[in-house]
Amino acid sequence: QGSVDCPNLEFKYGDADGHSAELAELYSYTEEPELSTNRRCFEEDFHAQVQGRRWLELDEAQRKAYVMHLLDGLEVVNRDKRLRVARAILYLAQGIFGDCDNEGDVLHWSRHNSFLLYRLGTFTAFLELLNMEIDNSQACSSALRKPAISLADSTELRVLLSVMYLMVENIRVEQEADPPEWKTCRETFRMELSFPVHTEEPFALLLFTMVTKFCSGHAPHFPMKKVLLLLWKVLLFTLGGFEALQAMKVQKREELGLPPLPEDSIQVMRSMRAASPPTYSIELMEQQQQKRGHRSRRPLVKQDSLDIYNERDPFKNDEAGVDEEENDDVDSGIEGELDLMERDAIIPVMPAQRPPIERVSFPKGLPWAPKVRQKDIEHFLEASRNKFIGFTLGQDTETLIGLPRPIHESVKTLKQHKYVSISDVQIKNEEELEKCPMSLGEEEVQETPCEILYRAMLYNLPQYMIALLKILLAAAPTSKAKTDSINILADVLPEEMPITVLQSMKLGIDVNRHKEIIVKSISALLLLLLKHFKLNHIYQFEYVSQHLVFANCIPLILKFFNQNIMSYITAKNSISVLDYPHCTVYDLPELTAESLEAGDNNQFCWRNLFSCINLLRILNKLTKWKHSRTMMLVVFKSAPILKRALKVKQAMMQLYVLKLLKIQTKYLGRQWRKSNMKTMSAIYQKVRHRMNDDWAYGNDIDARPWDFQAEECTLRANIEAFNSRRYDKPQDSEFAPVDNCLQSVLGQRLELPEDFHYSYELWLEREVFSQPIRWEELLHCQ
């Protein structure tokens, strides 16, 4: 697909996809026969208990009685009987599709039954079974011995995780018609998952432990896709989605006495329009051929391509026009990194005649209010004082004596747009607590779900991040199959491998879809964690970020984008007739190789575009204001990779790509900036302005390469100080009062081991008699 031909994508970004799509992604197509197994297990038991009636015909009391009967069946010792009962409960959670006529009914009963199951304590019962299965060493050892792991190795785990996922997802999603008792139920469930009562740790931590156990190779049969989907939905449910996060941010700013946010970023992004992407090497070749034939009309062609933005290029001086025309070849050199595969995809569909360029009308003014940091004002005044007075006044931003009138005006404008973030306040508080631990006393920490999760994750957090990135690497479409990489296909491969071409095609689609869903869940849960930890405390966010950076997250995301991103976003790795709940109520049509190849008729794949935006947002979070990490983007040659991603005409994705290009522009050199004026224009129009930000010229005083390592080390020291101050609570603190009374010290009862009296004489000899006592040292004591 040519970059000019790519249509605007009507994509609405949110916490998750539509409800039925999210439920459908839980099952792989190879699991489809198990739906009828679940139905059979339910019907055999149900008809034995309730003669001649259907589930829909029972009243609420009878339904409750039957569910209680099923839950009793989970207590039996026989493993197969337990599995049959668990399957019957799963059939209830799936919406008793055998009694339904259409998809809407299945989804309705799935929600209704999920609330019923939760109220009767099903989730707690399944949690106990899940703990048993995780600790089942027999299943682990048999999976380790097998040369190839398949669906059959994870049957019990998949049934348990499916029931838990359906309950979490159905109860999490709010609908207007929900009765009041369901709303109460939702809040109770949220509290139960966030604030553990019986166990010491939140439910999300158990799932994180499953992820690390899988990656360490001790439990290769764990169905990772289901674990990750459930983990993401549990975090989304307990911590809150993007809109809840925005509301929490507004509330926290109010509590800290900070001015309100200049705008709602979610709304601004929704109203943005996508820009036409910059030209690429193949189009440039065409342009050059046209130019050779029409030398006299050349300036007009150039002006037309710039007019896409309906605004004079702010960085273009009189000479730039000539330079840019001469540098078309340079640009094609940079973009020459296009994969051969991508070129093949582009060349055939390029028309002989250039299509008329679409004109984009931008709203008057820029979308974002400019922001200024305290540091920016200090830098500006430092430079001004050095220039006009010859000395500086440190961090004093009030004294303007001796500075000319225009500087006074500039400082006034900067202060009008000054933005103090919650992070700034938290860092300042942390510095004060470090300085005066005695006088300020203990910090009051609010017990939020986010705080409880961080405290539980703290000591194994590096392992959790490494495990998530390992799985992301294995699921990335650019990854080559290596022998040492982890096998993430355990819960998609059937016991008997396909024989016919049709079966192979179906399995190929299933495997690709499986990988896409894993990427989607990891990208979404990492972004959620980063955003929530940043709001809760900046150093919690920095701790997670630093471990992601140490685990090579930055090159991993760039590797992910180093593919034909248009073909990834428009991939058709789904067979809609096999999706739940459609496949449960309609007869399956005859599948042919042609129908599988054609795929659905959607303009793009929602989950892949969602994943791409999430990964770009994570990359932005990791690199923002961190010069050492920005240099990593430069060193890994991210500019051509990111510039290719601008082909996708979706405003939100373009915005995050442009942000990443903006922070490294000053390091890419004058030549690159000249060759990419259209990209520079797009940055100017779409990305927030920071007054005094020298992003387009490269004269920034922060761009000192020798400070990079020191910056990371200082940050690490601050994080460690924060973690030890807040979470390491030693009993004998150095600030605890000392007992100087000989009587009370000798009178303290010490707990001695039972066998101590056997080795007492030996202990005396070693610890007392053989140690010389130098009394004279008391005299020399300082």
Side-chain angles (χ1 to χ4, degrees), residues 39-99:
R39 180 179 175 179
R40 194 176 62 249
C41 288
F42 172 82
E43 286 177 350
E44 282 170 8
D45 187 84
F46 185 71
H47 294 316
Q49 294 296 317
V50 185
Q51 268 90 22
R53 296 180 68 189
R54 295 161 65 212
W55 174 264
L56 308 187
E57 294 165 1
L58 301 183
D59 61 30
E60 201 65 12
Q62 289 169 317
R63 285 184 193 140
K64 280 183 182 176
Y66 180 68
V67 171
M68 292 307 287
H69 153 76
L70 285 179
L71 291 176
D72 288 341
L74 289 177
E75 303 291 327
V76 296
V77 179
N78 186 313
R79 203 175 155 81
D80 292 337
K81 283 183 183 172
R82 259 206 325 262
L83 179 61
R84 280 204 295 277
V85 173
R87 282 194 181 281
I89 293 174
L90 176 55
Y91 177 68
L92 280 176
Q94 285 169 340
I96 44 159
F97 46 82
D99 296 353

Side-chain angles (χ1 to χ4, degrees), residues 642-656:
L642 291 169
K643 205 178 146 194
R644 251 178 301 182
L646 286 174
K647 281 183 180 185
V648 182
K649 286 183 74 174
Q650 204 283 322
M652 193 170 181
M653 182 157 164
Q654 284 185 346
L655 173 70
Y656 287 111

Side-chain angles (χ1 to χ4, degrees), residues 136 150 209 224 281 386 416 490 532 556 599 638 664 669 671 674 676 712:
N136 183 350
S150 69
T209 317
M224 236 343 85
S281 48
N386 273 330
Q416 275 174 354
H532 276 281
L556 170 54
S638 65
Q664 55 176 317
Q671 195 65 57
K674 276 186 187 178
N676 291 280
E712 285 287 348

Side-chain angles (χ1 to χ4, degrees), residues 184-432:
T184 318
C185 215
R186 182 176 298 119
E187 286 313 308
T188 317
F189 193 25
R190 184 183 280 129
M191 295 291 280
E192 189 183 309
L193 292 173
S194 316
F195 304 97
V197 185
H198 307 299
T199 54
E200 291 299 308
E201 56 196 33
F203 176 55
L205 198 75
L206 178 71
L207 298 172
F208 271 119
T209 317
M210 286 183 79
V211 174
T212 46
K213 199 171 176 184
F214 171 79
C215 283
S216 64
H218 297 314
H221 64 298
F222 280 3
M224 236 343 85
K225 182 186 85 173
K226 286 184 169 49
V227 173
L228 290 165
L229 278 172
L230 180 55
L231 177 53
W232 166 39
K233 291 302 166 61
V234 166
L235 292 177
L236 187 56
F237 186 28
T238 54
L239 304 180
F242 298 124
E243 288 189 1
L245 197 73
Q246 188 75 6
M248 284 152 66
K249 194 173 179 180
V250 169
Q251 186 190 344
K252 197 153 189 174
R253 287 186 70 83
E254 260 178 46
E255 287 168 8
L256 294 171
L258 297 173
L261 292 163
E263 70 273 291
D264 182 343
S265 52
I266 298 172
Q267 294 309 320
V268 175
M269 269 184 269
R270 278 184 186 156
S271 60
M272 268 191 175
R273 297 279 305 282
S276 293
T279 43
Y280 288 85
S281 48
I282 287 153
E283 292 155 40
L284 286 163
M285 280 187 255
E286 279 199 3
Q287 274 183 11
Q288 283 160 1
Q289 284 163 7
Q290 283 183 359
K291 284 173 196 166
R292 287 186 191 115
H294 308 283
R295 277 283 168 200
S296 58
R297 291 181 57 203
R298 185 169 173 164
L300 295 171
V301 173
K302 206 69 204 172
Q303 187 57 46
D304 193 36
S305 70
L306 271 176
D307 270 354
I308 288 178
Y309 296 104
N310 281 354
E311 186 178 315
R312 265 203 74 207
D313 198 324
F315 305 106
K316 194 170 174 73
N317 55 24
D318 295 335
E319 305 160 11
V322 182
D323 285 341
E324 193 177 355
E325 287 166 8
E326 287 169 5
N327 281 310
D328 276 350
D329 297 322
V330 176
D331 197 34
S332 67
I334 288 173
E335 287 306 321
E337 291 186 27
L338 275 167
D339 298 336
L340 287 170
M341 179 186 76
E342 195 168 338
R343 288 188 181 187
D344 293 344
I346 293 174
I347 291 166
V349 295
M350 288 299 289
Q353 192 177 347
R354 290 287 299 273
I357 290 173
E358 168 191 350
R359 294 186 177 273
V360 180
S361 57
F362 280 97
K364 293 292 175 196
L366 297 163
W368 305 98
K371 284 181 180 177
V372 178
R373 297 179 298 165
Q374 176 70 17
K375 198 175 169 185
D376 299 332
I377 302 175
E378 286 166 15
H379 283 169
F380 176 70
L381 278 169
E382 187 181 345
S384 304
R385 285 173 184 144
N386 273 330
K387 183 177 177 183
F388 293 107
I389 309 172
F391 63 88
T392 60
L393 297 173
Q395 295 182 338
D396 181 354
T397 55
E398 301 305 317
T399 312
L400 301 176
I401 296 165
L403 296 173
R405 191 83 214 142
I407 299 292
H408 286 236
E409 292 294 324
S410 301
V411 172
K412 186 183 168 188
T413 309
L414 288 174
K415 284 184 176 174
Q416 275 174 354
H417 292 92
K418 182 178 164 184
Y419 174 77
V420 182
S421 68
I422 295 169
S423 306
D424 295 338
V425 177
Q426 288 169 341
I427 289 170
K428 202 173 174 189
N429 289 347
E430 199 54 37
E431 284 170 4
E432 286 172 7

